[in-house]
Amino acid sequence: MQYNQKDYEMPHAKAWCPGCGNFGLFRSLREALAELEIPPQHLVMVSGIGQAAKLPQYTHAHMFNTLHGRALPAAMAIKAVNPEMTVIVNSGDGCIYGEGGNHFLAQIQRNSDIVNIVHNNMVYGLTKGQASPTSLKGIKTKVHPEGVFNEPFNPLAVAIAMGATFVARVYQGNREQTKNVFKEAIQHRGYSLVDCFVECVAMNKVNTTEWYREHTYKLEESHNIHDRTEAFKRSIEVDPYPTGIFYKEEGKPVFWEQCTAYRDSKEPLYQRMLDHKRLRELIATFK
Amino acid sequence: MQYNQKDYEMPHAKAWCPGCGNFGLFRSLREALAELEIPPQHLVMVSGIGQAAKLPQYTHAHMFNTLHGRALPAAMAIKAVNPEMTVIVNSGDGCIYGEGGNHFLAQIQRNSDIVNIVHNNMVYGLTKGQASPTSLKGIKTKVHPEGVFNEPFNPLAVAIAMGATFVARVYQGNREQTKNVFKEAIQHRGYSLVDCFVECVAMNKVNTTEWYREHTYKLEESHNIHDRTEAFKRSIEVDPYPTGIFYKEEGKPVFWEQCTAYRDSKEPLYQRMLDHKRLRELIATFK
Amino acid sequence: MNDISLIICGAAGQGIQTVEQMLVSILKMAGYHGFSTKEYESRVRGGSNSTELRISDHRVNAFVDRIDVLIPFDERAISHLKNRITEETLIIADQGTIQNEGSKDVIGLPFRLKAEEVGSRLYTNVVAIGTVVGLFRADISQGEYLLEKKFSPKGKDIVEENKEALRVGYEMGKRLREEMNLDFNLHPTPAVKEEMLINGNEAIALGAMAGGCNFISSYPMSPSTGVLEFLASHARQFGILVDQAEDEIAAINKAAAAWFAGARAIVSTSGGGFDLMTEGLSLVGMTETPLVIHLAQRPGPATGLPTRTAQEDLSLAIHAGHGEFCRLIYAPGTIQQAFELTRKAFNIADRYQIPVFILSDQYFVDSYYNIPMIEIDDNSVEYSFVRTGEGYKRYRLTENGLSPRGIPGYGDGLIRVDSDEHDEWGHITEDLEELRPAMVEKRVQKRRRLLEGVLELPTVYPEARENYAVCWGSNYHVVKEAVDILKNPDLAMMHFHQVYPLHKDVVKMVGQAEKVMIFENNATGQFSDLLSLHTGRQIPYSQRFLSYSGAPLSVEKVITALQQEGF
Amino acid sequence: MNDISLIICGAAGQGIQTVEQMLVSILKMAGYHGFSTKEYESRVRGGSNSTELRISDHRVNAFVDRIDVLIPFDERAISHLKNRITEETLIIADQGTIQNEGSKDVIGLPFRLKAEEVGSRLYTNVVAIGTVVGLFRADISQGEYLLEKKFSPKGKDIVEENKEALRVGYEMGKRLREEMNLDFNLHPTPAVKEEMLINGNEAIALGAMAGGCNFISSYPMSPSTGVLEFLASHARQFGILVDQAEDEIAAINKAAAAWFAGARAIVSTSGGGFDLMTEGLSLVGMTETPLVIHLAQRPGPATGLPTRTAQEDLSLAIHAGHGEFCRLIYAPGTIQQAFELTRKAFNIADRYQIPVFILSDQYFVDSYYNIPMIEIDDNSVEYSFVRTGEGYKRYRLTENGLSPRGIPGYGDGLIRVDSDEHDEWGHITEDLEELRPAMVEKRVQKRRRLLEGVLELPTVYPEARENYAVCWGSNYHVVKEAVDILKNPDLAMMHFHQVYPLHKDVVKMVGQAEKVMIFENNATGQFSDLLSLHTGRQIPYSQRFLSYSGAPLSVEKVITALQQEGF
Ligand SMILES: Cc1ncc(C[n+]2csc(CCOP(=O)(O)OP(=O)(O)O)c2C)c(N)n1
Ligand SMILES: Cc1ncc(C[n+]2csc(CCOP(=O)(O)OP(=O)(O)O)c2C)c(N)n1
Ligand code: SF4
Ligand code: SF4
Ligand SMILES: [Mg+2]
Ligand SMILES: [Mg+2]
């Protein structure tokens, strides 16, 4: 079946500010989905809480809008229980790298076969402008009137250090690159991290469209996406920030297929019924 | 004043198993403390919960034995509130990298001036042998009867990726190296991570003394501890695992000194009294 | 009319908050009593938000459904408020923004046109502010002063144009008042000018400072973030250590450790964030570490309605954290209580080595009104820690159950604190026969033995009577105003600002009442249950007025409920 | 004596557990009713741990203080149990290990010597096992069979030496019995051999499997880990997806999402871990996602006594999670109940789309006894999800308040689930006037409207009488045995296996009682409060027997308490 990006859009009005970078990101994602012809009935959109996390609300697909920070464990479980689904997590930098930091680490260790698009606007948008883990040093907020001084979180470097199998960064304003990286991420088997720079026009007056244009550049074609140390080196480059796919490892087994539950059957769990005979046999061993 | 390692030991019997690697680690730590002549009254030992986390119980010093996974936030606050104290965190691999993973990330971002010794026995000791984040693939446990398949957590690589300022690994059986690295960590200003291989003789039958001896070697003298990419490269080396100081960055400001509260005074908070006059002035602005 | 309810409604991002802040300030300086409260959606731009301003010649501090004057900033405002707009509502809108403008219902005034004439459409809001000031014939000079303060960094011209816009609006307002013959007969009270204008969040934060608070670690979460931001903005002058924590778990563990190390710490959070803190709360209980917790309620479960109001987390606050230990919960009903109880919370937490809660809600923290200037005396902070000597035992078993609390580095003692069950030195123990029961009793009996002197009685207003409209926390003024209006000689309000544990005399007070009706913003009657359990007087569902829409309870709803039940 | 309490006590690592497991199994296969329960320290080696074995010719399933026979593995065992050792206690120790051996109190037998003679000191425990079997003149063949099963991987010689050690011990035991003229007059019941021997953990895990459980995500925590490990060990045969989660927060969020995606999930945890799950619980409440939670209690607060027992988290389980929603809490009192209620929990969770708790404790999960074989029928799992069509609304407002639940991929509908307040489609809403109240009522009223048919009455034993010894959860057998022993014609037990919400007829049952006395393992009387609130009958502290030492309540303590209060 042929799909159009509109097939993935809900009719509801979006609660984002005019000019918000999330619009562009969403558009690229819909295009990627359409080009990959993923039926909405096979697509589960998962998110935490934040402005970014509203995206599944607007996506015509299954949706599990969880708690702030908790999108990844939910997504992992959904994929593990129902592996026929394409599972995509959209949430903010605060949600995934802040509140949800421990799950970020755990998902990489598991290599869950899910896509994780992080709307990195370097700020807490929904709660009105506090610093996020990726906020740059010196930025002033109401909680940091003298400026942020924590070392900014570097998601790419951490993911590469943890052994992630697909690590990319894009800026949503580069629509073609964004769409293509999303497509590759969806097609990749394993945990795919796409850190996506987006503007928060309302709360972040530093990292604007101009800023992103000026402070990013595309990784050269020649960049070897299979060299982990090289990928690490590129990931710690700042200002300008490279975009594109930094690292990719194919063929590493994914979480669900390694689970004992799939040793003898590949059926989603809801299609299986309890084997009462076996259970009676097990009970009998307690004699 | 001269100190002996015994000055840091409480009279209580230790609840560790005979042969447990924690004994050797503890001994090296006491020696390091004695050589640095740190008065017990200026030493705060912090831990979470686990076998490793019992260490502060046995240390003659101030102690805050917190919850499983929560040693780091506690330690950060103690140092920030009372910067005259030397603050050392001893806890297990499960405690720091598992339950406490998000705090591990956050402490590195803050560069809190604390020492973090992780007793890495690659297992959950106290709860009797489940896999920890650092457990090697293939190890069988009651929860993983077919073997662990998660990618082992690589604390050094993650710390280096996050911009940590002191990153080291030791094996407790190398007593001299262990003591010396502990000393350097304590003297380092900033967050010092020392991942310390220890045996769990009761629960981990794979990573034994022999295993550690065979699967570790010391980083060459020539290793450049100031080259981050090089440090990363060495940190992802496995089998044999290098030991020693991987990376060090001097001069980076530490958390407490960057806090606004210390802009005009360096006194510990408990020594300061509320300025009532100022508060009245502030209240007056609400008129 | 000497009590006007004026509502400004528009989309997020249209500057409603600036209008609110300037108007309440101008009207206060004109000698009018004022109250304002806002309701808003969980978004940064768009949608429909509104602010209710009450302007009166006597104190008014409660939300009413009634709208006397409505200033809609867009078409949607009308449908957003349709259930509250009546025949009597005067609607004043910028010409051209509202469809049925021109009908007798909506008066169009050229806000934007005039703004453009003055220099830019950016002044539209200022024209509107001027109009309201003109409607009340209030003194305009405070407005000019505020504009000057706000815009002087942008240059003299901007300041002047703003002032001009204000004046233009003022004239329009005055003219309208005359044309329509509006009877806004407010008599200014000069003393009001000497009062302070403050909201719940600010009162809590100031109270914390007066209680010696010098540490806050919290994670942003509506509606609790204001306390974090307020303390952060005064961190330098008051030496407050501020950490925006990586999550709520870290926040409470940092705060607990901060007390251990000698600070006076608070955490500020809301339901979901508080859930994550509950293991840390249990740690505080076990280690007998002081702590102050600001729990600002919003409707749940889960993400619920993040920017709305509720009183759904009382039972949670009482029972959160595994195991058993003592805690104290304040739920301030007035701004003064918010200040005073938060201050006290620090001293009690320190003295009794327990967690003390300030249980507020979105309606409470976001509401402003004028109160007489808060005064603090030089003993507002009571420090309870001791200098330790050698042989110090952190958990010494004493007569009164309190063990003097030391600080690392202050004296020669070693401060040893353990989350496991422990002996007097803080060393882990498995002695089930003596130590465990003794330590359990030490922790649990603080409630019975120690808090007795600290527990407070509810406020009875205007005096003890036969029947009671009972409420707690933020419903104070709503119920009080209803009681005032009803003027029923048998009816009084009973308001609980200290909701847990309850004072023993409450048994008698409630027991003796002829009829009671409890007002709460939740669906199960959490306080009703608590009161039933404590007093032995079962309060059936018919005597519980439960509101759980996410909107604040209104004076009108309380009146109707009381009348229907024959009060 | 036809009911013997035998205790084995030694350090962790000395193999007490192997002795326990072999002995109960051998004695059961000899036709004796058995019970065993252990108490242990939070360490892997050393310290003092003990196992109580009761061997009887009738069913005995409760902890008693009395020690008839003590087998101390080291000197410390004696002081560890000093308060329970009496004149009557027969102490049998390995020769040379206990100081005051030789005195009439301690009988030394050459366990180790004999073991060495047989081949190695490693057989010492087997000699001791044999001795006990000999003491009871039980059939030794089951012991031989077990040794064979256990050691055959190590070779024939080892098996034979073990068997020889067992026989040597057996002879010593028999001889001792004759020499001392012990009257252990147990009449074996052949039917016992056909029964199963099972502990609380296993019963819960098997119950989960019978309820169709095919997903568990949990983080290790004593005493709850057994369920995780049991399910993991049968993951392959039963297609159970097992994830040892990174923390408890992840565990519950994974389990909730697993139900969403079509699994039947459980989490198993204890107090501190459960605290961390409470925000996820609230998510489950909001999204109306089914969930089964095994909460195994241990003494708190904080780390407390990690390996001990308590009933301190009932109030927490009732009130945990911010906001308001419906839940159901089972607290099994017997092994049979543990199995059956856990099975049922899955079906009820699925049907009513609510969280269902199994509230156990360390004493319960670690206690073994024999019960008739559990039977399951082919309808043990009731699946309640539906195939969806286009236009499917996850939160359709229906007559009975339940919205049919779909699964992604099963049918054409889209399953849209939101933690924010939502409309029927699951889309976020800020409609405070209609949708919010409707959705709140939908969630809260499940308790009133739906659970009515599901709620169960407490067990009254032996029959309705004037006075009641009331208990809940793991105290079933302890109180029952006390009632049996007291033989007071006015006294019965009332045991609650379903503690929340309470059945409406409980009001009458408790109201009509002449006297009640409640037994709980906590310091505040959490269930007493619950019962007071529910029934309107205030249960004063004098009628609450509260035990909070961390040790299980004993039959003797219950008897003494009842006698003292004149029951
Ligand atoms: C447990 C919890 N803590 C805090 C919040 C409040 N909260 C909601 S969204 C958010 C931050 C959003 O930032 P980010 O994830 O970067 O998303 P953005 O809005 O910037 O897209 C916070 C702190 C919450 N909902 N739950
Ligand atoms: C919130 C919480 N979850 C789980 C536990 C149980 N627990 C105690 S120690 C421990 C693991 C210990 O492993 P590690 O940190 O590696 O320390 P080790 O014992 O190996 O030294 C666990 C899971 C707990 N105490 N609290
Ligand atoms: S606040 Fe920022 S992130 Fe949120 S919608 Fe507006 S621009 Fe986008
Ligand atoms: S279980 Fe392992 S970590 Fe714990 S004390 Fe024994 S050897 Fe050490
Ligand atoms: Mg963001
Ligand atoms: Mg470990």
Side-chain angles (χ1 to χ4, degrees), chain D residues 83-111:
Chain D
N83 294 340
R84 292 173 58 195
I85 298 173
T86 64
E87 289 286 287
E88 266 76 61
T89 308
L90 177 70
I91 306 179
I92 307 171
D94 189 19
Q95 249 164 24
T97 51
I98 309 289
Q99 281 240 335
N100 61 340
E101 190 199 309
S103 81
K104 73 170 190 317
D105 300 314
V106 180
I107 294 158
L109 289 182
F111 294 153

Side-chain angles (χ1 to χ4, degrees), chain C residues 59 461-462 477 479-488 491:
Chain C
R59 288 195 196 280
Y461 172 88
H477 286 298
V479 174
K480 179 167 177 278
E481 189 166 327
V483 167
D484 276 338
I485 290 171
L486 284 174
K487 291 202 181 61
N488 180 332
L491 177 66

Side-chain angles (χ1 to χ4, degrees), chain A residues 93 119 121 123:
Chain A
D93 43 334
H119 301 216
N121 55 12
V123 76

Side-chain angles (χ1 to χ4, degrees), chain C residues 300-362:
Chain C
T303 311
L305 291 164
T307 60
R308 307 294 173 175
T309 201
Q311 298 183 306
E312 296 177 7
D313 298 335
L314 172 62
S315 302
L316 175 65
I318 295 173
H319 299 289
H322 65 289
E324 300 178 296
F325 51 94
C326 171
R327 72 193 78 195
L328 188 67
I329 305 177
Y330 289 126
T334 68
I335 295 277
Q336 288 94 331
Q337 286 178 347
F339 176 87
E340 187 49 25
L341 295 176
T342 312
R343 184 192 70 76
K344 228 159 127 173
F346 281 82
N347 296 334
I348 293 174
D350 195 359
R351 178 127 126 252
Y352 296 106
Q353 306 173 29
I354 55 169
V356 180
F357 287 75
I358 306 296
L359 193 60
S360 73
D361 56 42
Q362 181 272 329

Side-chain angles (χ1 to χ4, degrees), chain A residues 15-23 50-52 54 121 123-129 198-204, chain C residues 43-45:
Chain A
W16 291 322
C17 310
C20 175
N22 290 332
F23 286 105
Q51 297 286 25
K54 288 177 180 166
N121 55 12
V123 76
Y124 283 2
L126 188 61
T127 48
K128 305 202 173 165
V198 291
E199 300 87 346
C200 171
V201 294
M203 296 296 157
N204 185 334
Chain C
R43 59 195 290 170
V44 169
R45 295 281 178 275

Side-chain angles (χ1 to χ4, degrees), chain B residues 22 49-53 67-68 70 91-96 99 119 121-127 130 132-133 200, chain C residues 279, chain D residues 219-222 248 269 272-274 276 298 303:
Chain B
N22 290 330
I49 295 297
Q51 297 286 23
L67 299 165
H68 184 56
R70 314 307 167 195
S91 249
D93 43 333
C95 195
I96 300 292
E99 184 83 49
H119 302 216
N121 55 11
M122 307 191 187
V123 75
Y124 283 2
L126 188 61
T127 48
Q130 301 84 14
S132 90
C200 172
Chain C
E279 195 195 13
Chain D
Y219 190 84
M221 186 163 194
S222 307
E248 288 85 352
T269 190
F274 177 67
L276 295 169
R298 67 189 217 188
T303 311

